């Protein structure tokens, strides 16, 4: 029962985090850039990311707890290679997210509050690049999760 619950929590965390990054990067970003000027676009991004990041922090906690529980259940260091790779990539993604959350997102918030649109644009550009990196890492991790047994025999 614990394994099924851990697996479900893990998948839900992935759906929220990777799915949210995909939506933000592939749908919201291009649409907002097309129809909104920086004085409207940057506050929208700040408010949207503030809400999304709350869910990502929850997802990070769920992913870390459930992933470690499942890895320990597989024998910890004796777990299959694809499980170890998922753990490594997941931790890298968490570090990148923590950096985004504390550094460029903080700068975006300060720029929006000061109505400093050029500085906000720089911060949003940094967030965009790092979210793009994390989205690629997330897709690679999902690929390893679903095909890892076949790829890493």
């Amino acid at each position: 029962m614990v394994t099924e619950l851990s697996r479900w929590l893990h998948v839900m965390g992935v759906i929220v985090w990777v799915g949210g990054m995909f939506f933000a990067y592939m749908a919201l970003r291009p649409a907002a850039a097309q129809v909104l000027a920086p004085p409207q676009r940057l506050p929208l991004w700040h408010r949207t990311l503030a809400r999304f990041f709350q869910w990502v922090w929850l997802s990070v906690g769920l992913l870390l707890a459930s992933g470690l529980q499942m890895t320990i259940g597989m024998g910890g260091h004796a777990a299959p290679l694809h499980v170890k790779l998922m753990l490594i990539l997941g931790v890298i993604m968490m570090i990148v997210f923590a950096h985004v959350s504390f550094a460029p997102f903080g700068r975006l918030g300060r720029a929006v509050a000061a109505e400093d649109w050029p500085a906000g644009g720089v911060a949003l550009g940094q967030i965009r690049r790092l979210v793009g990196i994390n989205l690629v890492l997330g897709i690679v991790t999902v690929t390893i999760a679903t095909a890892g047994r076949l790829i890493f025999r």
Side-chain angles (χ1 to χ4, degrees), residues 1 5 9 20 49 57 59 61 91-92 106 109 112 120 145 151:
M1 178 63 179
L5 178 60
L9 290 171
L49 292 174
W57 280 114
S59 295
V91 168
I92 291 168
V112 167
I151 297 170

Side-chain angles (χ1 to χ4, degrees), residues 12-26 52 135 142:
M12 293 307 294
V14 170
I15 288 169
V16 168
W17 190 7
V18 177
M21 287 190 298
F22 185 88
F23 168 76
Y25 201 87
M26 302 303 289
F52 178 55
L135 178 57
V142 168

Side-chain angles (χ1 to χ4, degrees), residues 23-24 30 35 45 57 84 113 120 144:
F23 168 76
V35 300
W45 272 112
W57 280 114
K84 293 175 186 174
I144 291 170

Side-chain angles (χ1 to χ4, degrees), residues 25-101:
Y25 201 87
M26 302 303 289
L28 181 58
R29 183 183 64 83
Q34 274 186 327
V35 300
L36 299 174
Q40 293 82 39
R41 183 171 60 238
L42 294 173
L44 169 71
W45 272 112
H46 183 258
R47 288 187 186 131
T48 301
L49 292 174
R51 289 176 174 265
F52 178 55
F53 286 178
Q54 291 175 350
W55 286 103
V56 175
W57 280 114
L58 177 63
S59 295
V60 164
L62 290 175
L63 287 164
L64 194 55
S66 61
L68 288 174
Q69 188 275 330
M70 290 186 293
T71 301
I72 290 167
M74 293 178 197
H77 69 279
L81 177 59
H82 71 283
V83 172
K84 293 175 186 174
L85 290 173
M86 284 188 292
L87 178 61
I88 291 166
L89 290 173
V91 168
I92 291 168
M93 289 177 67
M94 291 172 195
I95 291 167
V96 170
F97 169 67
H99 172 71
V100 167
S101 187

